[in-house]
């Protein structure tokens, strides 16, 4: 931590409430926790505060281009998420700062017989801040149950680009959709008011996820959320054309784009594999970068 680092914000501990006559369960520390506070210093964004505990780490930031934007790679040394695991990721980008956050490898969720694995993600973006959150795919294996809650508090002038790809993991009988559930909830707030609420719920044991209205015969799902004051109708049409061209080029790909109630858009894509969906989301990201910053397509170096 540098001498100029802001003081960490204390988060209140809310005790668990048990039914009458039963003892409250103990409050346990998260399996892994990572905090990053990023600020603009000169023409580069740097980490003013960095903290990790448990099974989450972050590699030393590197720069993919000359824009001054650092790339932070989140690492889970444990290799995967298990039942009852709880992870917390907090990233704050100060005024006019910019950052790209990714993961070293796929997030693997294994059997969770006792309780679901959970991840709580909190982003705070100041005026003119930019955060690109492009993790590798989430792989849910047989009997996996995973819940992710993402809360974004952002200034109306900030930019958020957040992607996600959900992949069914291998099962002994060779079938897909052997996981119990994947729930991804994302809430975006401006001035304390909810402006975007996205709730993705996949429970193969309860719903026919492979049928119409869900994945429509596909196995993989990709999503890209963009909130930015520069997102207009013309941009939505450009993204629509890009997706249409991708559908014509990639067998089994189906995708669409929708405008948000605030300036922004969301892309949903269904496909036969994670590579196709990841490439598609990076293509959309490249379009945004070319339009807004002049940066090249993201080319992540992880190996």
């Amino acid at each position: 931590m540098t001498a100029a680092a802001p003081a960490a914000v204390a988060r209140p501990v809310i005790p668990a409430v048990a039914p009458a006559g039963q003892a409250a369960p103990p409050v346990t520390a998260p399996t892994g926790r990572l905090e990053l506070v990023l600020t603009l210093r000169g023409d580069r964004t740097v980490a003013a505060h960095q903290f990790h505990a448990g099974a989450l780490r972050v590699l030393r930031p590197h720069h993919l281009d000359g824009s001054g934007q650092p790339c932070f790679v989140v690492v889970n040394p444990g290799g995967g998420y298990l039942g009852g695991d709880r992870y917390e990721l907090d990233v704050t980008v100060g005024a006019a700062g910019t950052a790209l956050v990714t993961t070293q490898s796929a997030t693997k969720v294994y059997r969770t017989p006792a309780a679901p694995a959970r991840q709580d993600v909190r982003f705070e973006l100041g005026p003119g801040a930019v955060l690109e959150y492009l993790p590798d795919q989430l792989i849910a294996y047989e009997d996996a149950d995973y819940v992710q809650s993402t809360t974004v508090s952002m200034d109306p002038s900030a930019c958020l680009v957040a992607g996600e790809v959900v992949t069914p993991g291998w099962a002994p009988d060779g079938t897909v959709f052997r996981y119990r559930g994947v729930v991804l909830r994302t809430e975006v707030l401006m001035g304390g008011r909810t402006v975007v609420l996205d709730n993705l719920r996949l429970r193969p044991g309860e719903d026919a996820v492979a049928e119409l209205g869900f994945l429509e015969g596909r196995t993989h799902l990709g999503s890209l959320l963009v909130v930015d004051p520069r997102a207009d109708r013309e941009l939505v049409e450009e993204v629509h054309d890009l997706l249409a061209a991708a559908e014509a080029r990639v067998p089994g790909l189906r995708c669409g784009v929708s405008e948000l109630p605030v300036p922004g858009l969301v892309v949903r894509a269904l496909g036969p594999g994670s590579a196709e969906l990841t490439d598609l989301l990076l293509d959309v990201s490249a379009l945004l970068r070319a339009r807004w910053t002049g940066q090249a397509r993201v080319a992540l170096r992880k190996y």
Side-chain angles (χ1 to χ4, degrees):
M1 185 185 300
T2 67
V9 176
R11 298 186 181 276
V13 176
I14 302 176
V17 178
Q22 297 184 22
V27 177
T28 58
T31 311
R33 177 167 177 77
L34 175 63
E35 298 176 6
L36 287 172
V37 177
L38 311 176
T39 186
L40 185 66
R41 188 169 297 165
D43 60 353
R44 290 202 166 194
T45 300
V46 299
H49 168 75
Q50 182 174 313
F51 170 82
H52 68 259
L56 275 188
R57 300 286 190 276
V58 65
L59 300 182
R60 182 176 179 178
H62 58 282
H63 294 80
L64 302 178
D65 53 36
S67 68
Q69 181 188 57
C71 175
F72 290 89
V73 180
V74 179
V75 179
N76 180 356
Y81 291 15
L82 303 174
D85 282 357
R86 180 167 57 89
Y87 293 85
E88 297 181 357
L89 174 63
D90 285 77
V91 178
T92 298
V93 185
T98 177
L100 170 63
V101 178
T102 185
T103 52
Q104 187 182 43
S105 60
T107 298
K108 303 177 181 69
V109 185
Y110 298 110
R111 293 175 183 267
T112 57
R118 180 180 180 88
Q119 180 158 275
D120 294 311
V121 180
R122 291 177 286 266
F123 296 143
E124 294 187 20
L125 308 181
V130 176
L131 176 62
E132 294 179 277
Y133 181 59
L134 300 172
D136 282 346
Q137 69 267 27
L138 167 70
I139 305 177
Y141 287 91
E142 184 176 23
D143 291 331
D145 199 355
Y146 177 75
V147 177
Q148 178 173 290
S149 175
T150 302
T151 304
V152 184
S153 298
M154 61 186 295
D155 187 88
S157 64
C159 170
L160 171 73
V161 179
E164 194 82 63
V165 174
V166 179
T167 302
W170 176 86
D173 61 3
T175 60
V176 295
F177 304 126
R178 299 291 292 174
Y179 57 85
R180 294 211 310 276
V182 171
V183 176
L184 307 176
R185 184 184 187 276
T186 301
E187 184 177 14
V188 178
L189 300 101
M190 291 183 181
R193 182 175 66 89
T194 299
V195 295
V196 177
L197 182 60
D198 184 48
N199 198 26
L200 173 65
R201 179 182 184 273
L202 297 172
R203 292 204 173 275
E206 302 174 17
D207 304 307
V209 298
E211 305 303 324
L212 292 175
F214 281 89
L215 301 186
E216 303 189 356
R218 279 76 171 178
T219 52
H220 296 61
L221 181 145
S223 180
L224 188 72
L225 174 65
V226 178
V227 182
D228 188 290
R230 296 166 291 186
D232 53 17
R233 165 56 61 176
E234 181 181 350
L235 175 64
V236 173
E237 293 299 330
E238 286 186 57
V239 173
H240 177 272
D241 292 343
L242 184 154
L243 299 180
E247 283 187 336
R249 184 177 67 252
V250 181
L253 185 66
R254 182 167 184 180
C255 42
V257 58
S258 301
E259 279 191 273
L260 297 176
V262 292
L265 58 90
V266 61
V267 171
R268 288 273 200 260
L270 307 175
S274 59
E276 294 88 345
L277 294 181
T278 298
D279 283 344
L280 177 70
L281 299 189
L282 290 179
D283 285 344
V284 177
S285 165
L287 172 61
L288 303 178
R289 287 172 148 235
R291 209 175 196 257
W292 293 339
T293 66
Q295 291 174 270
R297 186 179 191 271
V298 173
L300 297 170
R301 302 192 298 268
K302 302 184 183 182
Y303 308 105

